[in-house]
Amino acid sequence: MLYLGVYDVLAVAARVLRCSSEDAVRRTDLDAVERALSDVRRTSGLAEAAGVLLSGLIRSRVFSGANRTVTVTVVLQFVTLNQADLRLEPVDELDNLLDRIVADEINRHEVAGFIQDRLEHLGMTAADLHEPLRLDLLLEDEVAALHTDWQWRGEGMFERFNDEARRAVVVAQEEARSLDHSFIGTEHLLLGLIEEGQGGVAKVLSDKGIVAPAVRDLVVEIIGRGAHKASGGHIPFTPRAKHALEQAYHESRRLGAEQLGPEHILLALLHDGEGVAAQVLTRLGGKLDDLRARIEQWIDRRQRTEAVVTDMLTEDPSTWTTYGRRHHLVHELNAVLDENERLHEQVTRLRDLLRKHDIDPDS
């Protein structure tokens, strides 16, 4: 089972309360959160764990303002993290359950039973389980090949790529091979970014309706499929794709990033307005300047949140000693922020359901 951490909860609270991360810290009883999360780790099943989390946060009134809405959203995030979904309807039954928890009229087993009846486990096939392992194995092979391929750029470039950016490059090669292409162009890098599906890049593109099938169809329309089956070995980059990766390196340095991520590769593709990737984006209705502005806003928002973490550590490092060194905290927070970008629809859905049943979501 995958568990939430304090930062996960704070990220959800900031989203629901529509406040900054710093305000979310001030409006959250961190000690109560830690107690609830500790209790969750002593459970044995998802329904029981979700019930303990729900009960612990509700009884302790952990969040100042909209405690019920934040708590339910945290529980939704927890079950989603564990490949499941929680049916909220009918909302009046959920509201009654929360009333009984506050009044201490229900025990943990009854809460777990309530959740179990509304829990839907999302099917996970053997192929789903195999895919991350397959990409990891491919990544090991590609790291050596790509590092050699980029010696012309000098030492230090490839080492700056974070795991998500490296996976996107590996997926780009897979996309080229699936189209029987003997090269990796900017169009394949774009497909790699979409299929890697992490963070701000995925959100910015999907919000504009730019999805892999549509991109793939346009790539075939523009340059066609390869005439021969692609080999199983390393596929070289086109000069334009190499230039895009070098530009991504410059983008990461310009923005003061410690590592190069998918967002910097997208900025590089947008910088080259004549590449196939830019042509595809334009034909799918994505205005290059608008996409660039959106991804830079996402980068700025994440950097400001990281600054909050750094400030908190500087002010009182003893408070956060259990979370390790700063770079580990920032890496963990980035992963949480990326995941919680997907929370928006769930939060909106919950608030709409509450209003539909004449329940104030901010109560």
Side-chain angles (χ1 to χ4, degrees):
M1 187 184 302
L2 299 177
Y3 297 99
L4 297 176
V6 172
Y7 275 118
D8 301 10
V9 175
L10 287 173
V12 174
R15 168 75 73 175
V16 178
L17 297 173
R18 300 173 183 175
C19 64
S20 68
S21 300
E22 190 171 7
D23 285 340
V25 171
R26 294 194 185 100
R27 297 172 65 175
T28 303
D29 184 341
L30 296 178
D31 290 337
V33 170
E34 288 181 341
R35 286 195 299 271
L37 297 179
S38 178
D39 289 342
V40 168
R41 290 181 178 273
R42 290 194 286 268
T43 59
S44 58
L46 182 56
E48 181 186 358
V52 167
L53 182 62
L54 180 67
S55 299
L57 298 181
I58 288 293
R59 285 199 178 105
S60 301
R61 293 198 61 82
V62 168
F63 308 104
S64 175
N67 183 66
R68 292 190 177 195
T69 306
V70 178
T71 294
V72 173
T73 308
V74 168
V75 173
L76 282 171
Q77 175 73 344
F78 174 60
V79 299
T80 300
L81 187 65
N82 286 281
Q83 301 295 318
D85 194 14
L86 183 61
R87 179 168 53 83
L88 300 174
E89 305 89 342
V91 175
D92 55 346
E93 291 185 6
L94 173 63
D95 198 49
N96 180 60
L97 173 74
L98 301 180
D99 286 340
R100 294 181 65 195
I101 291 174
V102 171
D104 203 18
E105 296 174 353
I106 187 170
N107 61 43
R108 61 188 294 176
H109 301 295
E110 292 174 301
V111 176
F114 178 94
I115 290 176
Q116 184 65 61
D117 291 341
R118 291 158 177 78
L119 202 60
E120 178 184 353
H121 292 273
L122 305 178
M124 201 168 185
T125 66
D128 294 328
L129 294 170
H130 177 70
E131 182 65 11
L133 176 60
R134 184 184 70 81
L135 285 179
D136 285 345
L137 292 174
L138 276 172
L139 181 58
E140 290 181 4
D141 294 337
E142 288 307 301
V143 166
L146 294 174
H147 190 279
T148 300
D149 198 20
W150 289 347
Q151 285 300 312
W152 54 270
R153 179 60 183 82
E155 294 295 332
M157 176 177 170
F158 188 70
E159 287 78 1
R160 286 178 64 94
F161 278 53
N162 66 20
D163 290 342
E164 291 78 15
R166 294 186 184 199
R167 281 197 295 270
V169 172
V170 171
V171 175
Q173 175 173 283
E174 290 293 286
E175 290 290 337
R177 183 173 286 112
S178 71
L179 294 171
D180 297 329
H181 293 160
S182 58
F183 56 86
I184 302 174
T186 58
E187 61 276 17
H188 305 113
L189 290 174
L190 176 60
L191 282 166
L193 292 176
I194 295 172
E195 293 287 39
E196 198 278 331
Q198 296 292 320
V201 168
K203 179 170 176 55
V204 167
L205 295 177
S206 63
D207 284 351
K208 290 295 183 180
I210 300 169
V211 295
V215 171
R216 207 172 283 117
D217 288 345
L218 269 180
V219 169
V220 172
E221 179 183 327
I222 294 171
I223 63 177
R225 298 187 69 91
H228 305 288
K229 192 71 176 174
S231 67
H234 173 62
I235 301 177
F237 293 97
T238 64
R240 190 180 292 274
K242 275 189 176 183
H243 179 74
L245 293 173
E246 184 173 358
Q247 179 63 34
Y249 175 74
H250 291 309
E251 292 287 353
S252 69
R253 293 178 65 88
R254 176 178 69 85
L255 295 169
E258 292 183 3
Q259 288 189 301
L260 185 156
E263 60 274 18
H264 303 115
I265 298 177
L266 178 58
L267 285 174
L269 296 179
L270 296 171
H271 183 269
D272 178 10
E274 297 181 0
V276 175
Q279 294 179 45
V280 168
L281 290 170
T282 301
R283 289 180 60 173
L284 289 176
K287 296 181 179 179
L288 301 189
D289 288 342
D290 179 52
L291 291 172
R292 184 180 297 107
R294 286 175 178 268
I295 198 65
E296 290 194 349
Q297 286 172 2
W298 179 84
I299 292 171
D300 179 65
R301 184 168 62 249
R302 187 167 69 172
Q303 288 177 337
R304 283 189 283 110
T305 305
E306 290 177 1
V308 171
V309 175
T310 303
D311 290 344
M312 286 189 295
L313 289 172
T314 302
E315 290 174 6
D316 187 6
S318 63
T319 305
W320 302 96
T321 52
T322 56
Y323 295 100
R325 294 172 298 175
R326 175 189 170 276
H327 76 273
H328 174 75
L329 271 172
V330 170
H331 176 77
E332 181 183 63
L333 178 59
N334 283 340
V336 172
L337 291 173
D338 290 345
E339 174 62 25
N340 278 283
E341 285 295 323
R342 303 182 181 93
L343 273 175
H344 181 69
E345 290 184 3
Q346 285 186 330
V347 173
T348 301
R349 172 185 166 217
L350 175 60
R351 298 177 73 91
D352 287 346
L353 278 171
L354 290 170
R355 291 192 184 97
K356 181 180 177 181
H357 289 80
D358 297 323
I359 299 172
D360 182 1
D362 297 320
S363 63

